[in-house]
Amino acid sequence: MEVREPAVAYGKQKFTIEEYLTMEEVATEKHEYYKGEVFALSGAKLPHNTIVRNLLIGLGIKLNGKKCQPFGSDQRIHIEANTLFTYPDISIICGEPETLNDDNWNVLNPAVIIEILSPSTKNYDRGEKFKLYRDIPTLKEYILVDSESMHIEKFRLNESNHWELEECGSAEEILYIRTINENIPVAAIYAGVKLERG
């Protein structure tokens, strides 16, 4: 999802988690929550949405009937350690989804998160958001897919508990997602996408 700039909704008023969840149940658009502030999310461009579609279809086929399942941006993720409620473009959950107070809304245990980079969000997704995501105990891989050029960054938690970066930058390469032991061709991820930069 793209975060509006400036993104704070409802002025500078601070909200409790309970107030945020109550508002979000009846809201007509999605909002993120972090430390009392609520941030409005806006729609995304066609290249962004095409990449999301390609990945969800590919992952859905590969993971059909398996213990790990992909979810789109309607699935809200909550990080208890830092209060963030957010809607990743794609999250992969392995095993039974764990939710906040068994509420069936706010998933706590994604194993993989994929964000599609847009001009307005790429610095946030690479920096502060990745820092917040690292507070998720179950997260093993964080994947960033550029929507303007053919470039994928994959951060993986290694055996020493450090995040390692691997990159893909051509249609001939394969994105390997170790957590689910699946390969997705980069060409398939970008199929039908008109890239703004070569």
Side-chain angles (χ1 to χ4, degrees), residues 4-5 7 13 28 38 42 55 62 66-67 86 93 95 98 101 109 122 126 134 142 146 148 153 155 158 186 197:
R4 291 193 186 123
E5 303 291 346
Q13 184 180 347
T28 55
V38 176
S42 60
L55 277 166
K62 288 177 179 291
K66 298 185 178 177
K67 66 168 188 162
T86 187
I93 298 162
E98 297 170 17
N101 303 320
N109 63 325
K122 61 184 176 184
R126 280 197 184 106
R134 292 200 296 268
Y142 181 49
D146 199 321
E148 293 185 296
E153 299 162 87
F155 296 89
N158 67 18
V186 172
R197 293 187 278 121

Side-chain angles (χ1 to χ4, degrees), residues 119-183:
S120 64
T121 64
K122 61 184 176 184
N123 290 335
Y124 175 56
D125 286 337
R126 280 197 184 106
E128 183 64 22
K129 198 164 199 182
F130 184 27
K131 185 179 174 185
L132 295 172
Y133 280 154
R134 292 200 296 268
D135 282 337
I136 302 172
T138 54
L139 189 67
K140 302 292 183 233
E141 288 179 272
Y142 181 49
I143 300 167
L144 299 171
V145 182
D146 199 321
S147 66
E148 293 185 296
S149 64
M150 192 170 286
H151 186 238
I152 299 171
E153 299 162 87
K154 182 185 74 173
F155 296 89
R156 182 179 66 82
L157 198 60
N158 67 18
E159 292 73 21
S160 304
N161 222 33
H162 292 109
W163 289 91
E164 289 182 349
L165 170 63
E166 296 175 24
E167 298 180 82
C168 300
S170 72
E172 292 73 36
E173 291 183 81
I174 301 289
L175 173 65
Y176 174 57
I177 306 177
R178 184 185 295 266
T179 305
I180 57 173
N181 193 30
E182 293 290 352
N183 291 308

Side-chain angles (χ1 to χ4, degrees), residues 49-91:
N49 291 329
T50 304
I51 292 168
V52 169
R53 180 203 67 202
N54 291 344
L55 277 166
L56 279 173
I57 290 171
L59 289 167
I61 291 168
K62 288 177 179 291
L63 296 176
N64 185 36
K66 298 185 178 177
K67 66 168 188 162
C68 297
Q69 291 298 308
F71 293 84
S73 62
D74 279 339
Q75 182 56 65
R76 191 162 61 223
I77 302 293
H78 175 49
I79 307 171
E80 293 184 289
N82 58 40
T83 78
L84 181 69
F85 287 84
T86 187
Y87 296 87
D89 290 314
I90 298 171
S91 52

